[in-house]
Amino acid sequence: MNIPDGEAVGMIGPSGSGKSTLMSVIGGLEKPSTGSVAIDGQDITSMNEDELALFRRGRVGIVFQSFHLIPTMTALENVAVPMELLGQKDAFDIAREELEIVGLADRLDHYPGQLSGGEQQRVALARALAPGPGLLLADEPTGNLDATTGQSIVELMFELHDTRNTTLVLITHDAGLADRCDRVITLRDGLVDSDSAVAGEATPVAQAG
């Protein structure tokens, strides 16, 4: 499976088909039992945890269904601190700008428990995009949200994908949402069951085999 630079890919399939596992493997959060994964031409499968952490910095952003915000940190701190720990200069200035972009300029000092589900997911999206990654992985980003709030998150995510030309891999159970992507891959029992893309010559930003 090759994912060219700048493409939006929707991954669908029944529960247990391997969607979230594949996302974790692409993101370097889990190691594959066989095969390899290359991002920007670099094989990440042989990297250790420290090497993977350094590699992901500025290259891979991840948005989870459950937000994974630190409850004792404000929205601003949740976005800034991970960058600051990695030595990012002006981390708080960048975080403030990203939160303004996702519509949370007036919620910077609020803690996750003081934010709605949609607001928490906006913080998570800002955190994922703040370092300027070329690859954004989103695992059921609307799964814990009501339909209206989920739709607003989807619109924001695709808008940011378009304006920043990120490569987007979207894991979803929603076939309609997947159809908004440039390409739809269906997984079944850990295998690619179908792929709507037409083979091209673009250089892949992510390659799994």
Side-chain angles (χ1 to χ4, degrees):
M1 182 183 67
N2 293 334
I3 302 174
D5 189 15
E7 188 173 56
V9 177
M11 288 191 181
I12 61 175
S15 296
S17 60
K19 302 185 299 298
S20 295
T21 300
L22 179 57
M23 190 205 78
S24 293
V25 168
I26 293 173
L29 302 177
E30 294 184 27
K31 287 188 176 293
S33 52
T34 60
S36 62
V37 177
I39 298 177
D40 287 337
Q42 296 188 53
D43 186 349
I44 69 169
T45 1
S46 58
M47 295 180 182
N48 61 36
E49 291 302 317
D50 290 339
E51 291 170 335
L52 280 168
L54 287 173
F55 180 82
R56 281 194 297 265
R57 176 184 173 186
R59 285 190 176 94
V60 182
I62 304 176
V63 178
F64 298 96
Q65 176 178 343
S66 300
F67 317 139
H68 290 302
L69 302 179
I70 300 173
T72 56
M73 289 186 179
T74 64
L76 183 62
E77 291 168 337
N78 263 283
V79 177
V81 169
M83 290 189 291
E84 192 174 51
L85 291 174
L86 292 172
Q88 175 70 52
K89 294 182 179 179
D90 305 322
F92 278 83
D93 291 335
I94 295 170
R96 185 174 290 105
E97 181 179 348
E98 291 294 337
L99 287 166
E100 289 173 354
I101 289 172
V102 299
L104 294 177
D106 60 342
R107 309 291 273 173
L108 302 180
D109 297 323
H110 288 68
Y111 292 91
Q114 298 171 313
L115 302 173
S116 68
E119 288 172 333
Q120 290 186 64
Q121 193 61 295
R122 286 172 183 265
V123 174
L125 184 58
R127 180 182 58 188
L129 291 173
L135 174 62
L136 178 63
L137 306 175
D139 188 6
E140 297 282 0
T142 63
N144 283 336
L145 306 174
D146 62 74
T148 301
T149 304
Q151 183 63 31
S152 68
I153 293 295
V154 166
E155 297 300 333
L156 177 61
M157 186 171 58
F158 276 103
E159 177 185 340
L160 293 172
H161 159 70
D162 289 337
T163 57
R164 302 187 188 200
N165 196 35
T166 58
T167 302
L168 172 63
V169 177
L170 173 62
I171 307 296
T172 180
H173 282 95
D174 186 342
L177 177 55
D179 284 341
R180 293 192 54 176
C181 296
D182 304 314
R183 171 182 176 191
V184 179
I185 294 174
T186 303
L187 299 182
R188 189 175 300 277
D189 297 328
L191 299 172
V192 174
D193 188 55
S194 65
D195 187 337
S196 68
V198 176
E201 299 299 323
T203 301
V205 67
Q207 184 175 24

